[in-house]
Amino acid sequence: FDLVKLYEVPDNKITVVHNGYDSHIFNVDEPPNKQILDAYKLKPESYILFLGTIQPRKNAIKLVQAFHLLKAGGYKGKLVIAGGIGWLADDTLEVIKESPETKDIILTGYISDEARKALYTYADVYVLPSLYEGFGVPAIEAMGCGAPVAVADNSSLPEVVGDAGLLFKAIDPADIARAVLEIKADRKSWVGKSLKRAKHFSWDKCAKDTLEVLKSC
């Protein structure tokens, strides 16, 4: 859509090849180490997870504001913001520090693949509130681990998650909170959708599709 709109490239000159993800790591075949949760004083299905570098584009501020609304409405869990500190992160970190729920917001910093798998697997909901994503690999990794996902309704994200994830308006904390509650109300169903959707993505498929495009040129 962006190629057509911004660069005026005709539809018939565009072929979409989706990214893959490492399904050897992010899967439900082998349960992750629950002791990783203990390190952050977490329990399964008792936290909302965001995973990504903290920077303005990732829009974590609106997620923190949505978390405030959820806590005001009775949510008992925590918010986990996992990932390294990126550029222009000061405003986000200040909002977290000043949040009435700051004691229930966990900043993990950069984490290993093993920790990512554990946090994905046991999350109540994985939320990706980005203002723009070129693809959004963490959403597929989360789905591969059986996490239900809610993502912003912009850029590539609706195409990536399809009907297996809930969409929300990235600039509206109330809508983010709405999506989280809607998933929690039928979590088991959304887990099934996540696992099914993740099967559409692999690096093998990405390579084969890319080769077909190159051969057709």
Side-chain angles (χ1 to χ4, degrees):
F1 176 77
D2 284 345
L3 284 174
V4 175
K5 180 180 179 182
L6 300 176
Y7 291 93
E8 299 181 353
V9 178
D11 283 352
N12 61 4
K13 289 186 176 291
I14 299 172
T15 301
V16 176
V17 177
H18 289 133
N19 277 35
Y21 77 105
D22 195 338
S23 59
H24 297 292
I25 297 174
F26 303 106
N27 58 60
V28 293
D29 298 333
E30 296 182 11
N33 184 356
K34 276 190 177 181
Q35 290 183 340
I36 290 171
L37 295 191
D38 295 339
Y40 299 111
K41 298 180 181 179
L42 294 170
K43 296 180 180 179
E45 296 178 30
S46 68
Y47 60 93
I48 298 161
L49 174 65
F50 162 80
L51 190 148
T53 302
I54 298 176
Q55 56 178 282
R57 178 174 61 86
K58 295 296 185 177
N59 198 35
I61 287 176
K62 295 299 183 184
L63 179 55
V64 172
Q65 293 169 347
F67 184 60
H68 171 67
L69 297 177
L70 287 165
K71 294 293 279 187
Y75 182 66
K76 303 298 184 183
K78 298 184 178 182
L79 172 62
V80 177
I81 298 178
I85 306 298
W87 73 306
L88 300 178
D90 289 350
D91 286 350
T92 302
L93 297 175
E94 184 65 20
V95 167
I96 293 169
K97 179 181 177 182
E98 297 299 324
S99 169
E101 285 73 43
T102 189
K103 64 180 178 59
D104 287 326
I105 300 174
I106 298 170
L107 292 171
T108 69
Y110 182 81
I111 55 174
S112 66
D113 286 347
E114 183 184 20
R116 283 163 64 192
K117 178 177 180 177
L119 290 175
Y120 283 141
T121 300
Y122 298 118
D124 219 354
V125 185
Y126 173 75
V127 181
L128 186 56
S130 298
L131 298 173
Y132 195 92
E133 285 287 343
F135 183 76
V137 171
I140 298 302
E141 292 177 347
M143 287 180 157
C145 293
V149 303
V151 301
D153 63 352
N154 63 55
S155 56
S156 62
L157 294 174
E159 179 181 348
V160 169
V161 304
D163 61 1
L166 264 182
L167 304 180
F168 55 77
K169 297 184 185 302
I171 62 172
D172 186 354
D175 203 40
I176 299 173
R178 183 271 313 165
V180 169
L181 292 175
E182 192 171 330
I183 285 179
K184 281 177 54 59
D186 192 17
R187 188 179 183 279
K188 184 177 180 180
S189 174
W190 288 106
V191 168
K193 291 177 182 180
S194 282
L195 292 171
K196 183 178 179 181
R197 181 63 177 169
K199 293 178 181 178
H200 289 271
F201 302 90
S202 73
W203 285 121
D204 284 346
K205 184 176 185 300
C206 178
K208 289 176 182 177
D209 289 349
T210 301
L211 180 60
E212 287 302 314
V213 174
L214 294 175
K215 288 166 63 177
S216 68
C217 293

